[in-house]
């Protein structure tokens, strides 16, 4: 009975990590595609490196590497890979919880920073347009201003705050389950006397 449960645990871990690997690869590929085809500069100069393409690229790489370790560690029953998978998931959870805590703690400061940076970016775009050196056309800024980008973005976050919180909690639960599964498999391998492969 215990052997059947462990086999079920092993293959569940393999399937979940394989799905995460595919999603990470897709995110990585889409991020590269957006980097190659994006012609519009960032609206927020201070956070120019944190655009959607770069974030997809980085998240895709992290998901691909971590899920590959989990998949291979579970499939091959390799203790070293399972421990590495556990440590990486633990670090990811710490980073996510720290980022969430800092966002909640400095919410008002982040909002005023974004508003100030958007205004500075608009002024620089106007000055560049007068000199003919703008990488972003004034038409792009006109479109952005008629949607009221800052206010719309703020309202969207406020409306979807609960959904975002639930998504973060679900992600953390999945990561904790992955850690529990890897520890359980590690203990089973150690008790069975199986050596490193």
């Amino acid at each position: 009975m215990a052997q059947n449960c462990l086999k079920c645990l092993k293959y569940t871990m393999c399937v979940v990590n394989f799905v995460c690997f595919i999603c990470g690869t897709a995110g990585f590929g889409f991020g590269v595609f957006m980097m190659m085809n994006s012609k519009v500069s960032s609206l927020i100069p201070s956070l120019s490196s944190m655009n959607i393409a770069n974030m997809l690229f980085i998240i895709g790489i992290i998901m691909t590497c971590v899920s590959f370790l989990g998949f291979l560690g579970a499939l091959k029953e390799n203790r070293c890979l399972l421990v590495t998978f556990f440590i990486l998931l633990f670090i990811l959870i710490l980073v996510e919880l720290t980022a969430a805590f800092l966002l909640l703690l400095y919410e008002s400061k982040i909002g005023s920073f974004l508003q100030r940076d958007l205004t500075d970016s608009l002024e620089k775009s106007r000055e560049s347009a007068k000199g003919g050196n703008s990488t972003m056309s004034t038409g792009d800024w006109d479109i952005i201003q008629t949607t009221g980008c800052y206010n719309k973005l703020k309202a969207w976050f406020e409306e979807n705050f609960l959904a975002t919180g639930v998504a973060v909690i679900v992600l953390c639960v999945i990561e904790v389950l992955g850690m529990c599964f890897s520890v359980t498999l590690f203990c089973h391998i150690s008790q069975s006397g199986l050596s490193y492969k």
Side-chain angles (χ1 to χ4, degrees):
M1 180 68 178
Q3 288 293 328
N4 290 336
C5 289
L6 284 167
K7 280 185 180 179
C8 180
L9 183 70
K10 170 183 173 177
Y11 291 117
T12 300
M13 195 169 163
C14 286
V15 169
V16 170
N17 278 298
F18 181 74
V19 170
C20 289
F21 179 82
I22 296 298
C23 292
T25 305
F28 170 78
F30 194 59
V32 170
F33 175 78
M34 287 179 69
M35 281 185 208
M36 301 296 281
N37 295 311
S38 179
K39 296 179 181 175
V40 179
S41 62
S42 176
L43 296 175
I44 307 171
S46 301
L47 302 175
S48 59
S49 61
M50 290 183 65
N51 56 37
I52 294 173
N54 289 347
M55 295 305 287
L56 280 173
F57 179 79
I58 292 167
I59 291 169
I61 287 176
I62 292 170
M63 276 184 71
T64 302
C65 294
V66 173
S67 59
F68 180 73
L69 286 174
F71 173 79
L72 200 59
L75 185 67
K76 297 289 186 181
E77 296 185 3
N78 187 305
R79 290 184 291 174
C80 183
L81 291 177
L82 289 171
V83 167
T84 307
F85 177 71
F86 175 88
I87 291 169
L88 288 176
L89 281 182
F90 183 71
I91 291 170
L92 281 175
I93 287 176
L94 287 180
V95 169
E96 289 162 9
L97 293 177
T98 303
F101 177 74
L102 291 174
L103 283 173
L104 288 173
L105 189 64
Y106 296 107
E107 182 183 0
S108 59
K109 290 183 180 179
I110 291 170
S112 60
F113 164 76
L114 287 175
Q115 194 169 17
R116 186 177 64 249
D117 220 28
L118 280 169
T119 305
D120 292 344
S121 177
L122 176 60
E123 291 300 323
K124 287 177 184 175
S125 178
R126 285 180 182 163
E127 290 172 10
S128 298
K130 289 177 185 175
N133 300 325
S134 178
T135 56
M136 183 174 210
S137 70
T138 53
D140 292 335
W141 269 110
D142 290 340
I143 291 168
I144 290 166
Q145 290 179 79
T146 56
T147 65
C149 60
Y150 175 75
N151 292 330
K152 292 277 186 182
L153 188 62
K154 187 176 179 183
W156 183 86
F157 274 118
E158 288 172 356
E159 289 170 7
N160 296 291
F161 185 75
L162 180 62
T164 305
V166 169
V168 169
I169 290 169
V170 167
L171 180 64
C172 287
V173 166
I174 290 170
E175 290 171 345
V176 168
L177 285 174
M179 290 169 63
C180 293
F181 287 4
S182 64
V183 167
T184 305
L185 281 175
F186 178 86
C187 292
H188 167 68
I189 295 165
S190 299
Q191 288 173 358
S192 302
L194 298 174
S195 61
Y196 292 95
K197 292 185 171 66

